[in-house]
Amino acid sequence: MEGLSVSDANLVVYVHPSRSKNVSQAILRELSSLLFKFNETFDGVVLAYAVNALDKHARILSGVHPYFCVRLKANLLLFSPKPNMLLEGKVVKLMRESIHVIVLGFSSAVIVDEDIRDEFRYKSKRGEGKYVSRVHKRHTIKVGTIIRFLVKSLDEEILHISGSLIPDHTGSVGWLDGDVKNSTTESNKKRKQPDGEIEVQELGIASGDTHSANNDRGIKKKKKRRNAEEH
């Protein structure tokens, strides 16, 4: 999935004097406060972090409440969805007008009906709706389906994504990656191959029998003619 990247960052953490007895814990708390929020500095959402190196020499900042300035190096896992990127998410709600998706378990996305290509047709049975492809009947989208969609825009404040299923390379991940298509093709081959062999064998036997039967009839007719001429 696009939109995920790892960044090597040089960070500066300011620690309150009251936490000077456990600086490492204070740093982890500060880094944890960055998680699952859009950060303009990194131009993305911080999903995880790992501290690689910690500067043992802290600098005290002057002021009414002097803070410790600690420098460190960390690896950050960032989620930075941009327009025209391909994302994957799980369908949690599906209606005729829209498809609602959760991406990476925390970011919501919506695909409205005008951004769903005409190939898909909405069907509802016993209160459960789903989108079914007019071209490939086994290509379906319903609640619980993992889909791949195109990013149109991102609301950075609420981490809400507007998506699209217009391109042909979007839809159910299971179908696009060939799981359904391969299983269908293999099952068809298994059904067709024996039937084909049987048909060929049956035709061969039938044609052989017909040929031999015609020969037998011809021989019998010739014998009858000879017998009639002799008499």
Side-chain angles (χ1 to χ4, degrees):
M1 183 177 73
E2 299 178 349
L4 292 174
S5 62
V6 177
S7 175
D8 297 327
N10 296 318
L11 304 177
V12 177
V13 178
Y14 300 100
V15 181
H16 193 273
S18 62
R19 299 179 180 177
S20 60
K21 293 183 179 180
N22 196 336
V23 176
S24 298
Q25 184 178 0
I27 290 174
L28 294 178
R29 285 183 178 179
E30 291 296 326
L31 293 178
S32 296
S33 66
L34 301 175
L35 295 177
F36 304 108
K37 298 177 183 177
F38 188 87
N39 192 297
E40 293 183 357
T41 303
F42 305 119
D43 192 26
V45 180
V46 180
L47 301 181
Y49 61 84
V51 178
N52 292 332
L54 183 65
D55 191 350
K56 296 181 180 180
H57 301 284
R59 184 166 62 91
I60 299 177
L61 302 178
S62 60
V64 179
H65 299 288
Y67 281 74
F68 293 98
C69 176
V70 183
R71 298 182 182 276
L72 56 93
K73 293 182 179 180
N75 289 334
L76 304 178
L77 177 61
L78 301 175
F79 176 54
S80 307
K82 305 293 182 185
N84 297 324
M85 279 187 176
L86 288 174
L87 299 184
E88 296 178 6
K90 183 178 181 179
V91 177
V92 294
K93 186 177 180 181
L94 188 146
M95 301 181 294
R96 185 182 299 274
E97 298 81 12
S98 59
I99 299 175
H100 298 260
V101 183
I102 290 294
V103 180
L104 297 176
F106 75 95
S107 182
S108 62
V110 63
I111 304 169
V112 297
D113 57 349
E114 63 183 19
D115 293 319
I116 301 174
R117 63 180 180 272
D118 294 336
E119 174 188 340
F120 289 102
R121 179 177 58 181
Y122 180 82
K123 291 184 177 181
S124 180
K125 185 177 182 180
R126 297 178 181 176
E128 296 182 0
K130 64 179 179 179
Y131 278 92
V132 181
S133 170
R134 300 172 186 266
V135 181
H136 306 285
K137 299 300 182 182
R138 292 182 179 271
H139 189 181
T140 61
I141 298 175
K142 56 186 178 180
V143 173
T145 302
I146 305 298
I147 66 171
R148 185 174 297 141
F149 63 95
L150 199 72
V151 177
K152 292 183 62 181
S153 62
L154 168 68
D155 189 327
E156 299 172 353
E157 294 184 0
I158 59 176
L159 300 179
H160 183 76
I161 302 169
S162 176
S164 171
L165 287 175
I166 296 296
D168 293 335
H169 57 284
T170 59
S172 169
V173 172
W175 173 264
L176 295 172
D177 289 350
D179 296 341
V180 178
K181 289 187 287 186
N182 290 338
S183 62
T184 303
T185 303
E186 290 177 1
S187 62
N188 288 338
K189 286 182 178 179
K190 290 179 181 179
R191 288 196 300 268
K192 290 180 179 179
Q193 190 172 353
D195 294 341
E197 290 179 352
I198 291 172
E199 287 178 0
V200 172
Q201 292 174 0
E202 288 178 350
L203 287 173
I205 294 172
S207 60
D209 290 344
T210 303
H211 180 69
S212 60
N214 290 335
N215 289 339
D216 292 342
R217 291 175 183 175
I219 292 172
K220 290 179 180 179
K221 288 181 179 179
K222 289 181 179 179
K223 286 182 179 180
K224 288 181 179 181
R225 288 178 181 175
R226 288 178 183 176
N227 295 332
E229 291 176 356
E230 289 176 0
H231 292 291

